[in-house]
């Protein structure tokens, strides 16, 4: 018997979620103390207490009381916020239509399994018992799908709101020093991380408890219906990631090619017509898309673990505390991340530029170490010392320490993947410096070196994933893999805070440039941004690694649910699925890359047109027409996100219905195996090219200075590399991990239908 009683579980989980929400609101309150209205006169500053007077003098020197700058920052922030909000509303209208249509589809497919009958049926895994009818599963799966979708959309939207709220505040804080700006950016990231982790946990927990009122003791049916939650979360993430990714990169590539390469004006120059669209894009792609994506991973790994647990001894003996083990890990994760965040914002202060990256890395290390202790506490208080786990038809005996190791192996694999990614994408290490060096001989060598770096960076993460799969599967079958994925995502609040920090500081730099602030301030925001670039790559590494584990866990649950005893690669049915599945990530990447290319083409033409036709634009006398560029990005991304989305959503349905579950299992395995490789190499290649460019621009070392100031030939070559890498690292790469997970979770949700009615083509012959 576990130490923690069921009543304890029922209090602990919602309590931790509420603590997370309260903490994020406190952080938000602290960020909001930075004022965006210029009202500070000498009197208020002098009344600041003992050093009010001296502070006031320093501010005078720094030109801090320059009212125009504050007004300008507020204006630019407003423009960015409006652009992001209007884009997301447009996107959500389209996505809303899709959501309703897909919900109806889920209901029809799953309801038809037993011909919409309301009679109880015998359970899938225990034929003696009676379970709730398939119609109930259909209704509740639809409800949980909608719940997941709405939560996903809200988490993306809130993240975007917070980021656009914080970007100008970070810029204004940068006048006081790099430490202040860092804290503002990091706090705002934390708001998003904690809101998302806590919301995801709370909604899932409430859903389970409400469904329990109907299902009673039929836990198998209950948790099968809950999988819809993961499907809803990820399907919204797909559109957020792809739509946002196309938006941000069309603007970015258009702005860079005309602005930096043709016109030789700096990045984020207010004369550049695409500059607002570029900054809006950072928020809709990197923040809203990222938020939905990690929420999806989190929801799915919880669902995968719960489905497997419901047919293991936890579910059979109705041990509620042990059943909620995945949720308890996430609850512990919120508490651990809370302590970790305080290390960055309150315990240590950042004084110099070179302390930024170490501080962010410390976040990862501290959260991982604390979480290891946290997992131990959860495991020993909530699990019986020995229990059985469902393993493809048999029950496997597992000890609680083995499960502890499964979670830890996922947690530490995540850290390893994070650090390897950092090594390959940070300009503090040789790989990126080599790429920068290759720019001497032009863009072609830069591209060759960058691609090689990306392919090479796959090696260690894959070994890390492979080892964690082997260890966790050996100990606790498919449940082990699901909790390993949860272990990787248990520190999601910190991971997201580090991740959201990147786009916020990127925006802050853009606002500083547009508001015409001094060179010193731009240097500070650039330093924040360069660190943010690396952390964004680390975040993507986490997302991809966890997607691989989550997908495998869902795949295992699907195979169990569809009653396939074993997946044999040598049967032609499975092999054709395997080879087609491995092709899908390429097809998907082709679609997203081409969409960015064609949208960027329109953007380049528009920016050129404005430079050529608006008199006095280059001299800075006339204002460019920002709105047209924003509109080009919006229209392109809404139109172009539909085909890749349809490819991912329809593949499992078509394959399952016409070719049956064996072929579908092949497709899932194939897409998992090839998708992970492309995703890691794409995001690392793009990140390396971007930082190689920043390395040359910053000119921090002797080596960097020989490569030239901005505008030299090596720098131009670096900009070309960066522009090629943009769609790789921000559109194709990050969307692939959603492709891997989404196909698996969708197959699991529709498994009852495929198992009874699937494989039409093979039935005919």
């Amino acid at each position: 018997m576990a130490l923690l009683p069921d009543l304890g579980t029922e209090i602990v989980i919602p309590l931790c979620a509420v603590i997370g929400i309260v903490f994020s609101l406190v952080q938000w309150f602290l960020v909001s103390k930075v004022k965006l209205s210029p009202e500070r006169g000498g009197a208020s500053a002098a009344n600041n207490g003992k050093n009010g007077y001296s502070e006031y003098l320093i501010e005078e020197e720094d030109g801090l009381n320059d009212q125009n700058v504050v007004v300008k920052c507020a204006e630019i922030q407003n423009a960015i916020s409006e652009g992001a909000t209007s884009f997301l509303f447009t996107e959500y209208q389209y996505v809303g239509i899709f959501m309703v249509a897909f919900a109806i589809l889920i209901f029809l497919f799953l309801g038809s399994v037993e011909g919409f009958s309301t009679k109880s049926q015998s359970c899938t895994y225990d034929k003696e018992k009676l379970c709730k009818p398939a119609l109930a599963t259909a209704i509740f799966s639809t409800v949980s799908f909608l719940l997941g979708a709405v939560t996903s959309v809200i988490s993306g939207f809130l993240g975007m709101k917070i980021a656009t709220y914080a970007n100008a505040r970070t810029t204004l804080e940068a006048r006081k020093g790099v430490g202040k700006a860092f804290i503002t950016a990091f706090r705002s990231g934390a708001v998003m991380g904690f809101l998302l982790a806590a919301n995801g946990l709370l909604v899932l927990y409430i859903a389970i408890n409400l469904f329990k009122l109907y299902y009673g003791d039929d836990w198998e049916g209950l948790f099968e219906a809950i999988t819809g939650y993961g499907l809803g979360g990820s399907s919204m993430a797909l559109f957020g990631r792809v739509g946002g990714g196309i938006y941000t990169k069309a603007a970015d590539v258009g702005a860079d090619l005309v602005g930096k390469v043709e016109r030789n004006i700096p990045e984020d120059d207010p004369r550049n017509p695409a500059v607002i669209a570029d900054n809006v894009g950072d928020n809709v792609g990197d923040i809203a898309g990222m938020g939905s994506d990690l929420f999806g991973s989190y929801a799915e790994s919880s669902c995968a673990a719960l489905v497997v647990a419901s047919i293991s001894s936890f579910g059979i003996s109705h041990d509620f505390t042990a059943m909620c083990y995945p949720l308890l890990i996430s609850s512990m994760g919120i508490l651990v991340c809370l302590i970790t965040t305080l290390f960055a914002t309150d315990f240590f202060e950042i004084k110099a530029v070179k302390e930024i990256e170490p501080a962010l890395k410390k976040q990862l290390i501290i959260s991982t170490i604390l979480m290891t202790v946290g997992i131990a506490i959860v495991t020993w208080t909530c699990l019986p010392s020995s229990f059985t786990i469902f393993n493809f038809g048999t029950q496997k005996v597992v000890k609680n320490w083995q499960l502890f190791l499964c979670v830890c192996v996922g947690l530490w694999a995540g850290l390893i993947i994070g650090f390897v990614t950092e090594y390959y994408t940070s300009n503090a290490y040789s790989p990126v410096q080599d790429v920068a060096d290759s720019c001497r001989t032009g863009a072609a060598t830069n591209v060759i070196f960058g691609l090689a770096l990306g392919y090479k960076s796959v090696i260690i993460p894959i070994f890390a994933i492979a080892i964690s799969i082997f260890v966790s599967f050996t100990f606790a079958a498919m449940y082990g893999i699901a909790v390993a994925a949860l272990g990787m995502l248990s520190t999601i609040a910190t991971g997201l805070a580090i991740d959201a920090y990147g786009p916020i500081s990127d925006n802050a730099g853009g606002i500083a440039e547009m508001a015409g602030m001094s060179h010193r301030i731009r240097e500070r925001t650039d330093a924040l941004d360069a660190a943010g670039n690396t952390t964004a790559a680390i975040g993507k590494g986490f997302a991809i690694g966890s997607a691989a584990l989550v997908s495998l866990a869902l795949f295992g649950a699907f195979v169990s649910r569809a009653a396939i005893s074993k997946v044999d690669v040598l049967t032609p049915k499975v092999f054709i699925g395997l080879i087609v599945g491995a092709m899908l990530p390429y097809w998907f990447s082709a679609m997203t890359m081409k969409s960015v290319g064609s949208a960027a083409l329109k953007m380049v033409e528009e920016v050129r047109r404005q430079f050529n036709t608006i008199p006095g634009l280059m001299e800075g006398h006339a204002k460019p027409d920002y709105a047209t560029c924003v509109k080009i990005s919006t229209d392109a991304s809404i139109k172009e996100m539909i085909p890749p989305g349809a490819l991912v959503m329809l593949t499992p349905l078509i394959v399952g219905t016409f070719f049956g579950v064996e072929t579908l299992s092949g497709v899932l395995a194939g897409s998992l195996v090839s998708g992970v490789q492309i995703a890691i190499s794409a995001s690392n290649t793009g990140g390396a090219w971007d930082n190689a460019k920043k390395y040359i621009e910053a000119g921090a070392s002797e080596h960097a200075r020989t490569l030239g100031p901005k505008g030299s030939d090596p720098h131009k070559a670096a900009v070309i590399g960066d522009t090629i890498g943009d769609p790789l690292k921000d559109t194709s790469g990050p969307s692939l991990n959603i492709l891997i997970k989404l196909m698996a979770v969708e197959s699991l949700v529709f498994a009852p239908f495929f198992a009874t009615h699937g494989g039409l083509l093979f039935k005919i012959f």
Side-chain angles (χ1 to χ4, degrees):
M1 190 54 212
L3 289 172
L4 187 70
D6 286 358
L7 179 69
T9 310
E10 281 161 29
I11 297 167
V12 166
I13 295 175
L15 182 70
C16 289
V18 171
I19 290 174
I21 292 170
V22 170
F23 182 72
S24 68
L25 293 176
V26 170
Q27 297 293 328
W28 181 74
F29 171 70
L30 291 171
V31 172
S32 70
K33 280 185 164 166
V34 181
K35 288 286 172 271
L36 262 184
S37 48
E39 68 216 322
R40 311 199 37 190
S44 69
N47 297 339
N48 265 351
K50 58 179 191 300
N51 42 7
Y53 183 62
S54 57
E55 262 185 32
Y56 183 53
L57 282 178
I58 298 171
E59 291 191 7
E60 276 299 349
E61 279 174 48
D62 256 8
L64 273 201
N65 282 353
D66 188 358
Q67 315 256 333
N68 303 346
V69 169
V70 183
V71 173
K72 254 191 186 160
C73 283
E75 272 173 19
I76 298 164
Q77 180 202 23
N78 216 10
I80 294 174
S81 185
E82 275 170 20
T85 310
S86 76
F87 168 71
L88 286 180
F89 273 123
T90 318
E91 182 183 68
Y92 292 156
Q93 280 165 359
Y94 285 85
V95 168
I97 300 166
F98 159 80
M99 208 158 91
V100 174
F102 205 76
I104 296 169
L105 200 69
I106 293 178
F107 178 72
L108 293 177
F109 268 62
L110 292 180
S112 68
V113 172
E114 295 285 325
F116 295 99
S117 87
T118 50
K119 290 200 299 289
S120 293
Q121 53 179 38
S122 61
C123 301
T124 319
Y125 299 101
D126 186 355
K127 299 289 182 220
E128 272 92 77
K129 286 195 194 133
L130 279 184
C131 282
K132 298 286 189 238
L135 189 64
T137 306
I139 295 167
F140 282 106
S141 290
T142 311
V143 172
S144 60
F145 167 76
L146 291 171
L147 265 181
V150 170
T151 314
S152 182
V153 163
I154 290 173
S155 33
F157 185 74
L158 284 177
M160 185 281 303
K161 270 291 180 221
I162 290 148
T164 51
Y165 181 82
N167 50 18
R169 288 176 165 78
T170 307
T171 312
L172 293 177
E173 286 290 275
R175 297 176 309 178
K176 299 179 193 164
V178 83
K180 289 265 194 285
F182 171 80
I183 286 181
T184 305
F186 190 80
R187 279 212 166 109
S188 342
V191 177
M192 177 185 173
F194 283 94
L195 266 183
L196 199 135
N199 271 342
L201 179 65
L202 198 57
V203 175
L204 181 58
Y205 182 72
I206 292 170
I208 291 174
N209 279 319
L210 290 178
F211 286 14
K212 228 163 112 187
L213 298 176
Y214 168 79
Y215 276 101
D217 274 352
D218 173 18
W219 283 15
E220 182 191 301
L222 163 68
F223 289 104
E224 193 168 297
I226 286 284
T227 44
Y229 184 70
L231 176 63
S234 254
S235 51
M236 295 305 103
L238 176 73
F239 291 108
R241 251 311 189 195
V242 175
I246 293 169
Y247 185 107
T248 170
K249 288 305 125 182
D252 195 357
V253 171
D256 281 0
L257 283 181
V258 183
K260 288 203 284 204
V261 179
E262 290 178 15
R263 296 275 166 171
N264 252 339
I265 56 178
E267 194 162 359
D268 296 318
D269 190 293
R271 293 170 292 183
N272 194 332
V275 69
I276 293 280
D278 183 9
N279 280 299
V280 170
D282 289 336
N283 292 302
V284 295
D286 288 355
I287 296 228
M290 177 74 213
S292 299
D293 177 7
L294 277 176
F295 165 75
S297 271
Y298 168 75
E300 282 163 347
S301 53
S302 306
C303 293
L306 290 168
V307 167
V308 180
S310 69
I311 50 179
S312 305
S313 63
F314 302 155
I316 298 164
S317 60
H318 294 100
D319 180 351
F320 186 69
T321 303
M323 191 66 221
C324 284
Y325 181 65
L327 301 182
L328 286 160
I329 288 181
S330 307
S331 311
M332 179 56 86
I334 291 176
L335 300 181
V336 163
C337 292
L338 200 150
I339 300 167
T340 311
T341 305
L342 295 177
F343 274 99
T345 55
D346 299 276
F347 298 159
F348 298 114
E349 203 184 331
I350 285 188
K351 303 244 180 355
V353 168
K354 60 175 188 296
E355 292 170 18
I356 303 171
E357 254 189 55
L360 291 167
K361 276 162 64 179
K362 270 193 204 116
Q363 284 288 297
L364 287 176
I365 298 171
I366 294 170
S367 63
T368 305
I369 292 171
L370 290 177
M371 195 60 208
T372 309
V373 179
I375 296 166
I377 296 170
V378 173
T379 310
W380 265 268
T381 50
C382 306
L383 291 180
S385 60
S386 173
F387 42 89
T388 63
I389 295 285
F390 184 84
N391 179 21
F392 300 122
T394 57
Q395 293 282 350
K396 176 181 170 73
V397 178
V398 179
K399 303 264 188 291
N400 58 7
W401 61 266
Q402 291 176 311
L403 211 50
F404 163 71
L405 286 179
C406 292
V407 187
C408 284
V409 100
L411 177 67
W412 287 88
L415 187 68
I416 291 169
I417 293 174
F419 278 147
V420 171
T421 313
E422 193 231 9
Y423 173 72
Y424 280 106
T425 56
S426 161
N427 50 27
Y429 303 104
S430 59
V432 171
Q433 292 172 7
D434 290 346
V435 171
D437 194 61
S438 69
C439 294
R440 287 176 201 279
T441 43
T445 40
N446 181 23
V447 171
I448 294 168
F449 269 74
L451 286 173
L453 177 143
Y455 296 150
K456 196 175 163 193
S457 70
V458 176
I459 302 168
I460 300 174
I462 292 295
F463 275 119
I465 294 171
I467 291 168
S468 48
I469 289 171
F470 183 77
V471 171
S472 47
F473 192 89
T474 313
F475 280 151
M478 275 303 163
Y479 188 67
I481 292 176
V483 292
L486 258 175
M488 202 178 275
L489 290 167
S490 58
T491 52
I492 183 174
T494 296
L496 262 172
I498 292 177
D499 226 27
Y501 154 87
I504 292 172
S505 19
D506 192 352
N507 260 225
I511 292 173
E513 181 77 51
M514 282 186 267
M517 290 171 123
S518 72
H519 180 64
R520 254 212 349 270
I521 290 167
R522 184 69 226 231
E523 267 180 0
R524 285 172 192 163
T525 54
D526 272 353
L528 290 172
D529 183 20
N533 237 356
T534 304
T535 56
I538 293 178
K540 285 174 196 138
F542 262 89
I544 295 164
S546 63
L549 292 175
V550 169
S551 170
L552 188 60
L554 291 164
F555 178 53
F558 161 73
V559 169
S560 304
R561 181 61 189 87
I564 310 172
S565 52
K566 62 179 198 296
V567 180
D568 181 3
V569 183
L570 290 176
T571 33
K573 272 188 199 178
V574 177
F575 192 80
I576 55 168
L578 202 61
I579 200 160
V580 170
M583 174 273 299
L584 289 173
Y586 288 91
W587 189 358
F588 180 82
S589 300
M591 284 179 171
T592 48
M593 299 276 284
K594 194 154 186 283
S595 305
V596 172
S598 56
L601 200 69
K602 290 192 192 102
M603 187 67 79
V604 168
E605 281 163 6
E606 172 60 26
V607 176
R608 273 184 194 152
R609 183 193 69 76
Q610 291 196 27
F611 273 128
N612 294 334
T613 57
I614 301 177
L617 180 57
M618 271 306 280
E619 291 74 43
H621 302 318
K623 272 187 105 165
D625 172 12
Y626 296 127
T628 315
C629 290
V630 172
K631 191 174 180 332
I632 288 179
S633 258
T634 303
D635 295 349
S637 56
I638 298 289
K639 191 174 105 248
E640 303 276 359
M641 75 182 184
I642 315 257
L647 173 74
V648 179
M649 299 301 288
L650 296 177
T651 302
L653 292 178
I654 293 169
V655 174
T657 309
F658 293 110
F659 298 93
V661 281
E662 279 104 340
T663 310
L664 181 53
S665 64
V667 168
L668 294 179
S671 65
L672 165 64
V673 167
S674 87
V676 175
Q677 330 288 339
I678 305 177
I680 297 177
S681 63
S683 38
N684 289 351
T685 294
W689 274 328
D690 192 345
N691 272 341
K693 175 205 69 176
K694 284 211 168 59
Y695 174 74
I696 295 176
E697 284 177 354
S701 68
E702 197 52 52
H703 175 230
R705 284 192 286 277
T706 60
L707 293 168
K710 288 189 187 182
S712 66
D713 281 345
H715 177 247
K716 279 189 173 156
V719 171
I720 292 173
D722 174 35
T723 315
I724 302 171
D726 273 337
L728 283 174
K729 78 172 194 305
D730 288 325
T731 314
S732 300
S735 317
L736 278 174
N737 60 52
I738 305 180
L739 167 133
I740 304 169
K741 298 179 307 203
L742 190 52
M743 281 174 38
V745 73
E746 193 182 330
S747 309
L748 175 60
V749 170
F750 287 103
F753 174 80
F754 296 150
T756 35
H757 301 300
L760 296 178
L761 286 181
F762 293 133
K763 282 180 184 165
I764 300 166
F765 299 130

